[in-house]
Amino acid sequence: MTSPGAVGQFDQRTFFARPDVFPLEFGSRHLDFVPMTADTYRRSIFTDRGRIVRAAQTGWRLETAEVLAEFERSGGRQSPLSYIFHIAHCGSTLLARALDIPERSLVIREPFVLRQLGAAAATGGGDKPNPSFWHRCLRLTAGLLGRRYAAGEPVIVKANVPVNFIIDELMALHEGSTGILLYAGIDDYVSAVLKTPRHRRWVRNVTGELAGGIAATAGLGDVHMDHLSDAQAVACLWLAQMRRFQHSLGHCESLRSLDCSDLFSRPREVLSAALELSGTHVQQERVADIASGELFSRHAKDPGRPYDRDTRLKEMQALSAQMADEIAEARAWIETIDPGRKAGSPLPRPLVEPRPL
């Protein structure tokens, strides 16, 4: 990273107005930026340091305090954002890619700066480290993510798991922001999250990182993550996120829930509703083309791999049979923590109405 010195050395009219310079990662006292274009955003399935597709290998390192001061002097403008909040391993990458339509929307997938703020809040169990500074950084981050290439172009931000612990703070930044809360039922979640040793390590890592936020979630204060089996840890992570989603749905009218099974079985309806929610104007013929096109016949994170609805269904059926004992263990754990809860119950305010039985 090179340091250009003052933010003023960037063109102020574009630095805080256009997304050509992307906030990559917070450091101890600095914020790293990289150059981007509309094309590199589209090619970046994720935007963390290891996977982002940059417009050039150059980058810039600026003092966070300096960027904050310049942002606030410029007015600290907040633009409405459309979020995809999700519990992980439930089709969020597919949804985000399907909503990424050239010259109609700008989609930013899993910005690491937002993850850092969510993790910092969750680590403290909701008590932010240096709350005033944290909130200033949140406003700065949302302000930078809200920049767009065209005035009427919606920006859709796909978040990741730690961000689920700061949904209310994000939605409060602009009354015009919207969000989709994407989730899977516990059976499919156990199957997807425990299917390989790498996935099991992810569960342990993320539940360890977010233990404070999980403990601060209603009804989970007495849970000791170190005492849980893999299946119980997945159940705990699922329940914490579902409770966070339910809480946010009760406090914010512009949020909608989405069962991932609807994304896979009713893609055209889901895409149409999601585009409408975000304010993205696309003809229905184009929506139909996307829903029936190559995107839904390939693995979202590995586009070179054929993977359609039928392939996924067969894989999930096989995993469900293979993991029947752990699925039962996860369900039993949820029942002990939340007696009477129906693990298959849908969240309220769905993006698409359930089909009649």
Side-chain angles (χ1 to χ4, degrees):
M1 288 287 177
T2 59
S3 175
V7 176
Q9 290 184 282
F10 291 113
D11 186 337
Q12 289 287 325
R13 293 170 299 177
T14 61
F15 187 78
F16 291 122
R18 285 176 56 86
D20 302 313
V21 180
F22 180 73
L24 182 64
E25 186 174 345
F26 283 106
S28 57
R29 294 184 178 179
H30 62 266
L31 183 52
D32 288 341
F33 291 86
V34 294
M36 296 292 284
T37 65
D39 178 63
T40 58
Y41 277 111
R42 191 156 290 112
R43 291 163 54 201
S44 296
I45 294 179
F46 298 98
T47 53
D48 55 74
R49 184 181 296 276
R51 295 177 288 187
I52 193 170
V53 178
R54 310 178 182 199
Q57 288 307 306
T58 56
W60 306 276
R61 175 163 289 176
L62 302 177
E63 293 294 322
T64 303
E66 178 188 336
V67 183
L68 280 168
E70 291 289 344
F71 176 67
E72 290 161 358
R73 273 196 290 269
S74 74
R77 181 174 179 270
Q78 298 293 314
S79 298
L81 291 167
S82 292
Y83 292 97
I84 300 171
F85 302 110
H86 62 94
I87 66 173
H89 305 287
C90 59
S92 61
T93 301
L94 176 62
L95 177 60
R97 293 187 64 200
L99 299 178
D100 194 349
I101 301 173
E103 300 180 1
R104 289 292 183 271
S105 61
L106 173 64
V107 179
I108 303 173
R109 289 171 276 267
E110 301 200 3
F112 191 70
V113 284
L114 197 56
R115 186 193 193 282
Q116 287 179 293
L117 292 168
T123 297
D127 295 327
K128 285 80 175 177
N130 191 343
S132 176
F133 182 71
W134 184 91
H135 278 96
R136 291 176 68 202
C137 288
L138 185 70
R139 289 185 61 83
L140 169 66
T141 297
L144 292 171
L145 294 176
R147 300 167 302 170
R148 52 205 73 200
Y149 288 110
E153 177 184 63
V155 178
I156 300 170
V157 177
K158 177 200 167 191
N160 46 19
V161 167
V163 183
N164 293 335
F165 293 83
I166 58 169
I167 292 174
D168 294 352
E169 290 91 337
L170 280 171
M171 298 303 292
L173 292 175
H174 195 291
E175 63 180 7
S177 290
T178 62
I180 293 172
L181 307 176
L182 179 64
Y183 66 97
I186 186 61
D187 293 14
D188 282 354
Y189 198 57
V190 171
S191 298
V193 173
L194 295 183
K195 62 183 178 182
T196 70
R198 177 175 62 84
H199 286 75
R200 289 173 185 262
R201 287 193 297 271
W202 175 84
V203 172
R204 291 302 183 178
N205 289 340
V206 76
T207 51
E209 181 182 23
L210 304 178
I214 292 171
T217 303
L220 298 176
D222 295 329
V223 174
H224 298 284
M225 299 303 305
D226 292 342
H227 299 166
L228 302 182
S229 67
D230 285 351
Q232 292 168 343
V234 173
C236 183
L237 180 62
W238 180 86
L239 185 58
Q241 294 183 95
M242 294 292 279
R243 283 185 167 172
R244 293 278 174 168
F245 281 4
Q246 193 139 19
H247 169 86
S248 295
L249 284 163
H251 287 78
C252 183
E253 289 292 326
S254 58
L255 290 172
R256 297 290 182 272
S257 66
L258 176 60
D259 187 323
C260 70
S261 63
D262 286 322
L263 172 62
F264 299 120
S265 65
R266 306 160 64 187
R268 180 173 178 175
E269 293 173 65
V270 167
L271 295 185
S272 182
L275 289 165
E276 181 179 358
L277 183 67
S278 70
T280 306
H281 303 292
V282 181
Q283 293 182 338
Q284 286 302 307
E285 293 80 1
R286 193 169 187 182
V287 176
D289 288 343
I290 295 169
S292 62
E294 185 175 12
L295 182 62
F296 280 81
S297 66
R298 298 280 175 177
H299 196 285
K301 296 177 184 176
D302 182 12
R305 174 183 163 195
Y307 193 81
D308 59 13
R309 174 190 170 189
D310 290 341
T311 303
R312 178 187 180 277
L313 185 59
K314 290 177 182 177
E315 178 182 271
M316 296 305 292
Q317 288 173 340
L319 288 169
S320 179
Q322 176 184 329
M323 298 183 189
D325 290 345
E326 287 185 296
I327 290 171
E329 183 183 359
R331 280 176 163 264
W333 187 89
I334 292 170
E335 177 64 24
T336 64
I337 298 296
D338 193 356
R341 181 184 181 92
K342 295 181 180 179
S345 297
L347 287 173
R349 205 182 304 137
L351 179 68
V352 292
E353 290 299 326
R355 284 177 172 165
L357 297 176

